[in-house]
C-alpha cells in the first residue's frame, strides 16, 4: 500500500504501528524523499503480509493516526516460481496441464511462453507459477510433476525452489 | 617414497611426468598398462618408458602384467588409474584390495571401485593401517575432498551442490550461447575430445551421480549407491528451453545435489540465474559447499584432463608421503 504521511519525526512509526497491532508482517518499507518537493508530506510504500479480512480495519487504524492511505494494491499470490517444460506439449493438451494447477485455487500459472520449432519435434515452454504460500507452491509443483510424468514431459525446476 | 602406477593412459602418464619433472621425493618402481609392465626396485627411468609408450604403445615388457606389478613391485603407494568400470569396478577394485591387504597405501582416480565398494575398501584400509585416497575421482583438479576433510575440519557440512560433469556443461554452454541443438553440441564436444565415443554416462547424468555417491559416502559416512540417486540427464533438452531460460535472465545447468537433512541425492537439469556462482562456461566444474561455520564456499576448476587429474593424484601422494611414509 502507498501512504502519504507528514514529514515530521514520529509519523512513520505512527503509520507502521497499527500493522503489527492487526497481526500483519512488514516485508519492505520504501521511503523516498523527493529533494525538489516543497510539500510537507512524504510518500511511503509498504509491502506487507496480512491475515485475511484485516485490511479494512488496518486502513481505519492508520487513518486514525492522521495518515492518508493513497492507494492499496492487493496481491494474493505472493510466491512466484519459474519452470520450463519440454515435450509434446500441444499433443498432450497444454491447457489441461495448466488447468491442473489453476483449478487448485491456491496456485495459478500467470505467464506462459511456448516455442514450437516443428510439428514433430518437442516444444519448450516457460511457465511462471504463483501461489499463496510456499507450501502451496510445493503442492502445485508436485501436481505439475505428476501430470508431466503421465504425459511424458520433462520438467526443469529452478535450483532455489522458491523465490 | 616408492610408487607403482597401474594404468598408463593419459592420467598415468601425467602422473609419471609430474613425478619426473618435480622434485617430490617420489620414485617410481613399477608401471603397468593393459598389455605390459616394468618393475625396477631402484627406480624406473620415466623418460624412457614414456618414449616407449609413445612409439610402441606399450610401457614395458609384455611378459610382465599389471598383477605382477601389484603383487611383487616394491612400493609404498599404489597409484591406480585404469579405466572406470562402473558395473563391476574390476579389475581396479581387485588391484586396490590386493595392495591394501598387502599393507600398502592406495591413490586412485578410478570412480568405479570407490563408488561400488567404499565401505569395504575403507574398512580394509583401516584394518591394515593404510590410507586410501581418491581426490581425482570427483571434480578433477578441484581439491574438494581435501578441502572438506582438512580445510573445513570441524565444520558440519550441510549441503553440497554443483556441476560435476564438464562434458554436459560444455554442451549446455554451447546450446545456450550459440543456439546449437543438443546433437550438434554433443558432436562438437566429441570432436574436441571432451566427450567419449559413447557419451551415455556423461549425458544421462550417471557420471555426475557416481561422484555424488562418492561424496555422500565420504563426507557423511553414508552407504549410498548409484541406485539411490534420482537422475535426469540432459539428452532431452532443447535449444528453445535454453533460450526461454536466457530470455528470463536464467540458464540451464546439470546440477548434482546432496542434502542429507532432506534426503536429497539428485542429478537434474535446473534453471539457475545467469549470475549464480555455479554458472561456469565450457568444460569447467563448480561446486558449492555449505558448512555450519564456514557458510558457503564455491570452488571452480577443471574437472578433467591428464595433468589436471594428475594434480589431484600428486596432492594425495604428497599427503600420504607427509602423514604416513615420512612419519613411519
Amino acid at each position: 500500500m502507498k501512504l502519504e504521511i507528514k514529514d515530521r519525526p514520529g509519523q512513520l512509526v505512527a503509520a507502521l504501528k497499527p500493522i503489527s497491532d492487526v497481526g500483519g508482517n512488514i516485508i519492505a518499507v520504501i521511503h523516498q524523499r523527493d529533494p525538489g518537493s516543497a510539500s510537507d508530506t512524504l510518500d511511503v510504500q509498504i509491502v506487507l503480509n496480512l491475515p485475511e479480512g484485516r485490511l479494512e480495519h488496518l486502513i481505519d487504524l492508520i487513518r486514525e493516526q492522521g495518515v492518508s492511505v493513497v492507494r492499496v494494491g492487493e496481491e494474493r499470490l505472493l510466491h512466484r516460481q519459474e519452470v520450463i517444460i519440454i515435450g509434446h506439449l500441444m499433443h498432450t493438451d497444454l491447457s489441461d496441464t495448466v488447468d491442473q494447477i489453476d483449478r487448485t485455487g491456491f496456485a495459478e500459472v500467470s505467464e506462459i511462453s511456448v516455442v514450437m520449432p516443428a510439428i514433430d519435434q518437442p516444444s519448450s515452454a516457460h511457465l511462471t507459477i504463483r501461489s499463496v504460500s510456499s507450501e502451496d507452491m510445493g503442492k502445485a509443483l508436485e501436481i505439475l510433476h505428476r501430470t508431466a510424468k503421465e504425459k511424458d514431459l520433462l520438467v526443469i525446476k529452478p535450483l532455489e525452489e522458491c523465490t | 617414497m616408492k610408487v607403482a602406477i597401474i594404468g598408463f593412459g593419459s592420467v598415468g602418464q601425467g602422473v609419471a611426468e609430474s613425478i619426473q619433472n618435480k622434485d617430490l621425493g617420489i620414485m617410481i618402481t613399477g608401471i603397468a598398462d593393459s598389455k605390459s609392465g616394468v618393475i625396477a626396485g631402484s627406480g624406473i627411468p620415466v623418460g624412457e618408458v614414456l618414449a616407449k609408450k609413445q612409439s610402441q604403445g606399450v610401457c614395458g615388457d609384455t611378459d610382465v602384467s599389471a598383477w605382477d606389478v601389484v603383487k611383487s613391485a616394491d612400493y609404498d603407494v599404489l597409484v591406480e588409474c585404469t579405466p572406470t568400470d562402473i558395473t563391476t569396478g574390476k579389475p581396479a577394485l581387485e588391484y586396490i584390495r590386493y595392495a591394501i591387504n598387502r599393507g600398502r597405501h592406495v591413490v586412485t582416480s578410478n570412480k568405479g571401485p570407490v563408488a561400488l565398494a567404499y565401505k569395504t575398501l575403507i574398512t580394509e584400509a583401516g584394518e591394515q593401517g593404510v590410507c586410501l585416497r581418491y581426490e581425482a575421482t570427483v571434480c578433477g583438479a578441484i581439491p574438494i575432498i581435501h578441502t572438506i576433510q582438512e580445510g573445513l575440519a570441524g565444520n558440519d557440512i550441510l549441503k553440497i551442490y554443483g556441476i560435476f560433469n564438464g562434458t554436459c556443461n560444455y554442451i549446455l554452454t554451447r546450446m545456450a550461447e550459440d543456439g546449437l541443438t543438443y546433437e550438434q553440441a554433443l558432436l562438437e564436444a566429441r570432436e574436441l575430445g571432451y566427450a567419449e565415443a559413447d557419451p551415455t554416462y556423461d549425458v544421462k547424468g550417471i557420471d555426475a551421480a557416481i561422484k555424488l555417491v562418492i561424496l555422500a559416502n565420504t563426507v557423511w559416512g553414508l552407504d549410498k549407491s548409484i541406485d539411490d540417486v534420482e537422475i535426469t540427464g540432459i539428452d532431452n533438452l532443447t535449444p528453445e528451453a535454453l533460450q526461454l531460460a536466457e530470455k528470463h535472465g536464467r540458464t540451464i545447468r546439470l546440477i548434482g545435489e546432496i542434502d542429507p537433512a532432506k534426503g536429497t541425492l539428485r542429478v537434474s537439469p535446473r534453471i539457475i540465474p545467469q549470475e549464480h556462482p555455479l554458472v561456469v562456461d565450457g568444460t569447467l566444474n563448480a561446486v558449492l559447499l555449505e558448512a555450519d561455520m564456514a557458510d558457503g564456499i564455491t570452488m571452480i576448476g577443471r574437472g578433467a584432463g591428464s595433468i589436471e587429474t594428475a594434480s589431484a593424484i600428486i596432492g594425495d601422494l604428497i599427503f600420504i608421503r607427509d602423514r604416513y611414509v615420512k612419519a613411519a
Side-chain angles (χ1 to χ4, degrees), chain B residues 4 11 54 66 87 91 109 122 144 155 163 180 186 210 213 222 225 241 270 276 278 321:
Chain B
V11 173
Q54 289 294 321
T87 350
S109 59
I122 229 60
I144 177 169
N155 275 264
I163 288 163
L180 299 191
L186 174 60
I210 293 167
V213 168
L222 303 174
S225 76
R270 303 294 280 271
H276 194 284
L278 290 182
R321 182 194 73 189

Side-chain angles (χ1 to χ4, degrees), chain A residues 7 24-25 46 75 78 88 93 99 109 111-112 120 124 140 143 145 157:
Chain A
D7 191 4
N25 179 31
I46 299 169
E75 175 83 84
L78 284 169
H88 293 286
D93 197 351
D99 193 44
V109 175
E111 172 270 353
I112 182 161
D120 56 341
S124 309
I143 291 167
H145 200 76
K157 293 182 195 168

Side-chain angles (χ1 to χ4, degrees), chain A residues 80 82-84 86 111 113-117 121-126 128 145 154-161 163, chain B residues 161 230 232-233 236-245 247-248 250 252 255 257 266 269-273 276 278:
Chain A
R80 188 176 163 279
E82 292 171 53
V83 293
I84 288 175
I86 301 173
E111 172 270 353
S113 16
V114 190
V115 186
M116 294 173 286
Q121 280 176 27
S123 316
S124 309
H126 179 281
T128 304
H145 200 76
L154 172 64
V155 180
I156 304 171
K157 293 182 195 168
L159 180 58
E160 265 87 16
E161 286 204 347
T163 51
Chain B
Y161 52 104
E230 187 190 325
T232 310
N236 288 320
L237 291 188
T238 57
E240 294 81 24
L242 279 141
Q243 282 150 24
L244 284 167
K247 215 171 80 186
H248 290 83
R250 315 273 193 266
I252 299 175
I255 304 287
E257 30 174 350
R266 183 192 298 134
R270 303 294 280 271
I271 304 171
I272 179 168
H276 194 284
L278 290 182

Side-chain angles (χ1 to χ4, degrees), chain B residues 179-203:
Chain B
L180 299 191
T181 64
Y182 165 75
E183 288 78 14
Q184 289 167 335
L186 174 60
L187 207 64
E188 189 183 82
R190 266 194 209 159
E191 276 169 15
L192 291 166
Y194 299 152
E196 306 286 334
D198 175 8
T200 314
Y201 279 141
D202 290 322
V203 300

